[in-house]
Amino acid sequence: MKKEFSARTTYTIATKGGLLLEVANGGTENGAVVQLWAPTGAEGQLWKFKEVGDGLWQILSKPSGKCLDVIDGGTEDGSWVHQWEYLGGANQLWTAESLGEGVYKLKNAGKCLDVVGMAAVNGARLQLWTDVDGENQQWVISPAAKKAPVKKTVKKAGQAKTPTALVEKKAAPLVEKKPAPLAEKKPAGKLAKK
């Protein structure tokens, strides 16, 4: 069987509309809400996949290391998900059914990870639901973009901005500084009386 994901890679899990699966507010506690949100670059929107064998995966929040977990081990339609420390339960193990081009159905207990009410809004919750081939059950899983280093720019009069890495810096010529001559101190004179 072909290995779909690398344990060394961090991924984003997105709807076809571009909203990302995230742990709300970057929470790291057991029971933290898993929801959809527009991309922010926050770590709470990053996931790792850990293969446990037989085509099963733990889906782990990058900041907490906790699993995408079906609440109370539910297997019926409408069972919501959150994050929880790994306890070895089947409710924490997922299959990834490839639909091609980086799109997957994530399944637990034979049911799809599904957006509640097919909502395409920030804060939409997730649940298990019977596979109905809906777009709200299809997930675009991609390696997360690595953050590029920030380049500062230098602007000289009459020039466009140029990254500092490309600006040739010339050293200022050395100028020998001579100490200033010491001023001769005169005794303070007496104040004239009026």
Side-chain angles (χ1 to χ4, degrees), residues 137-149:
Q137 298 179 331
Q138 297 176 15
W139 302 95
V140 180
I141 302 176
S142 315
K146 295 192 184 218
K147 291 185 179 180

Side-chain angles (χ1 to χ4, degrees), residues 19-168:
L19 294 176
L20 297 179
L21 190 71
E22 73 162 17
V23 177
N25 302 314
T28 57
E29 68 281 354
N30 281 335
V33 171
V34 176
Q35 63 185 11
L36 295 182
W37 206 268
T40 64
E43 282 208 338
Q45 295 181 330
L46 301 177
W47 300 88
K48 298 212 136 300
F49 284 76
K50 182 177 178 186
E51 188 174 27
V52 294
D54 295 326
L56 296 172
W57 300 88
Q58 291 175 22
I59 302 174
L60 306 164
S61 168
K62 183 180 182 229
S64 70
K66 294 185 176 163
C67 293
L68 183 63
D69 173 283
V70 182
I71 295 175
D72 295 328
T75 58
E76 57 281 337
D77 285 347
S79 296
W80 283 23
V81 299
H82 60 184
Q83 78 169 1
W84 203 271
E85 67 188 279
Y86 183 62
L87 299 173
N91 61 318
Q92 297 177 318
L93 302 176
W94 300 83
T95 59
E97 182 182 312
S98 178
L99 302 176
E101 298 183 27
V103 179
Y104 296 84
K105 290 181 183 177
L106 297 174
K107 293 186 173 183
N108 181 285
K111 298 196 175 187
C112 291
L113 181 64
D114 174 284
V115 180
V116 174
M118 298 185 283
V121 297
N122 285 341
R125 294 293 303 267
L126 302 156
Q127 65 185 356
L128 286 186
W129 201 265
T130 300
D131 187 346
V132 294
D133 257 344
E135 281 201 5
N136 64 317
Q137 298 179 331
Q138 297 176 15
W139 302 95
V140 180
I141 302 176
S142 315
K146 295 192 184 218
K147 291 185 179 180
V150 176
K151 292 185 180 178
K152 294 183 180 181
T153 57
V154 175
K155 186 176 180 180
K156 294 181 182 179
Q159 286 185 331
K161 287 187 176 185
T162 307
T164 51
L166 302 178
V167 174
E168 184 179 323

